[in-house]
Amino acid sequence: MDVVLIGAGNVGTVLGRTFKQANHSIKAIWNRHPEKARLLADELGTVAIETLDELPPTADLFLLSVSDRSISEIAHQLKIQQGVLVHAAGAVSKEVLQGAAENHGVFWPMKMIRSHMQSLGPCAIMIDANNEHSLQVIYELATTISDQVHEADDAKRLKMHLIAAITSNFTNHLYHLAADYSREQAIDFSWFYPLIEGVMAQIKTEHPQNVQAGPAFRGDRITIEKHRSLLAHEPSLLRIYDEMTQSILNKFGHQ
Ligand SMILES: NC(=O)c1ccc[n+]([C@@H]2O[C@H](COP(=O)([O-])OP(=O)(O)OC[C@H]3O[C@@H](n4cnc5c(N)ncnc54)[C@H](OP(=O)(O)O)[C@@H]3O)[C@@H](O)[C@H]2O)c1
């Protein structure tokens, strides 16, 4: 397929590389700061364009991958004649593209993506569209780079975005806090990798409820108090510890 990239940030860069690896053709790249578009165009063997007016009039798909807050602003400057316009955001309605292209939708790769990644790798892609034709084009493209392509409308995607924040962003924040505490206590955080990976592996086949462990799960208030005393001078970590502990106590009937 012919693809035009509007935005050369993390997603534009990595999807651009991935589309090219899947033998799609990148027709042109635009980015607000043009040097980024030029760099990516050189890498992908295509052209960088300086203004949105110079966008190719036709392509199979136009990928608008700019920050969530600027999707609507850029969409207002677009008038796609032929081709499907998609954005890549989980928490933004497809409706914002309505005036910019007759055929439009969403192409949301559900993964943390950073420009240094050479390819998208395993990734579920959530797609949505305003009509059957657009959905078919988006589906065909998505299935060339992922074997997990699912349809999710605006309401479902927003809920999925929330679940992604809890399962990925929140757990990573806990790793961050734990890694900082480990470093302060001169404990090697890598020693915890098998523990972390063990839980990740088990929740693929078991409900997370069946994988829960720890003092709050057992209702072991003596150990909980020992942990709390270690955090006496870490008020923000103690608040999180108490919230998490209370939630686990409640779930397992230790009120
Ligand atoms: N990264 C992820 O993990 C991820 C995963 C799934 C979906 N997404 C979605 O993908 C989209 C792009 O995310 P990203 O991570 O690729 O973003 P990013 O790397 O932070 O890059 C932001 C892009 O938006 C452009 N931009 C910001 N404000 C702009 C404005 N006012 N006018 C024009 N362009 C503007 C930037 O242009 P400049 O380079 O000129 O600043 C840059 O191209 C978002 O909708 C995001 O929700 C991201």
Side-chain angles (χ1 to χ4, degrees):
M1 283 192 192
D2 286 340
V3 178
V4 172
L5 302 178
I6 308 171
N10 294 309
V11 169
T13 298
V14 177
L15 283 183
R17 287 180 185 135
T18 310
F19 288 144
K20 181 147 191 215
Q21 288 153 14
N23 294 320
H24 298 293
S25 160
I26 309 299
K27 274 187 105 173
I29 305 174
W30 173 89
N31 193 68
R32 177 179 56 177
H33 292 107
E35 35 332 324
K36 246 156 98 177
R38 278 196 292 271
L39 272 176
L40 187 60
D42 284 349
E43 180 188 331
L44 300 181
T46 185
V47 290
I49 52 166
E50 300 254 327
T51 67
L52 290 168
D53 302 338
E54 297 168 68
L55 282 178
T58 65
D60 294 304
L61 188 122
F62 294 78
L63 173 68
L64 175 57
S65 61
V66 293
S67 62
D68 286 9
R69 264 180 299 173
S70 58
I71 292 174
S72 163
E73 179 192 329
I74 301 296
H76 275 103
Q77 300 172 53
L78 297 175
K79 200 74 208 151
I80 304 297
Q81 302 298 333
Q82 208 184 316
V84 181
L85 173 67
V86 294
H87 70 59
V92 178
S93 166
K94 63 180 174 297
E95 307 291 320
V96 299
L97 304 179
Q98 217 165 26
E102 192 185 324
N103 296 310
H104 57 268
V106 179
F107 190 105
W108 177 38
M110 213 166 58
K111 185 172 191 172
M112 194 271 288
I113 298 170
R114 293 293 173 263
S115 298
H116 63 79
M117 295 161 61
Q118 289 310 303
S119 187
L120 183 64
C123 177
I125 300 176
M126 300 304 132
I127 62 168
D128 190 14
N130 71 319
N131 59 40
E132 271 308 314
H133 163 73
S134 308
L135 191 65
Q136 191 56 33
V137 172
I138 299 169
Y139 179 80
E140 273 178 28
L141 182 66
T143 50
T144 63
I145 62 166
S146 168
D147 53 12
Q148 281 191 70
V149 179
H150 308 288
E151 221 182 308
D153 63 14
D154 286 346
K156 187 169 178 179
R157 264 194 340 277
L158 186 55
K159 290 173 193 159
M160 293 179 73
H161 199 263
L162 167 66
I163 296 167
I166 295 169
T167 54
S168 176
N169 308 149
F170 287 7
T171 51
N172 189 60
H173 183 62
L174 292 176
Y175 297 147
H176 179 176
L177 296 174
D180 285 352
Y181 182 77
S182 282
R183 195 180 46 216
E184 283 158 26
Q185 305 306 320
I187 294 167
D188 188 338
F189 186 61
S190 73
W191 295 351
F192 295 88
Y193 294 170
L195 179 72
I196 295 167
E197 284 161 5
V199 174
M200 297 271 245
Q202 286 186 72
I203 61 162
K204 291 182 184 171
T205 54
E206 294 260 3
H207 190 284
Q209 174 178 332
N210 301 333
V211 177
Q212 190 64 55
F217 164 69
R218 297 190 302 273
D220 173 358
R221 293 183 193 268
I222 293 170
T223 305
I224 290 170
E225 282 313 315
K226 287 184 189 168
H227 287 172
R228 294 190 77 251
S229 65
L230 287 176
L231 295 175
H233 303 294
E234 306 263 1
S236 90
L237 194 48
L238 181 60
R239 261 199 310 280
I240 292 169
Y241 182 93
D242 284 343
E243 279 292 334
M244 297 295 281
T245 296
Q246 196 54 53
S247 178
I248 299 169
L249 287 169
N250 293 346
K251 274 282 183 204
F252 291 93
H254 300 298
Q255 289 90 333

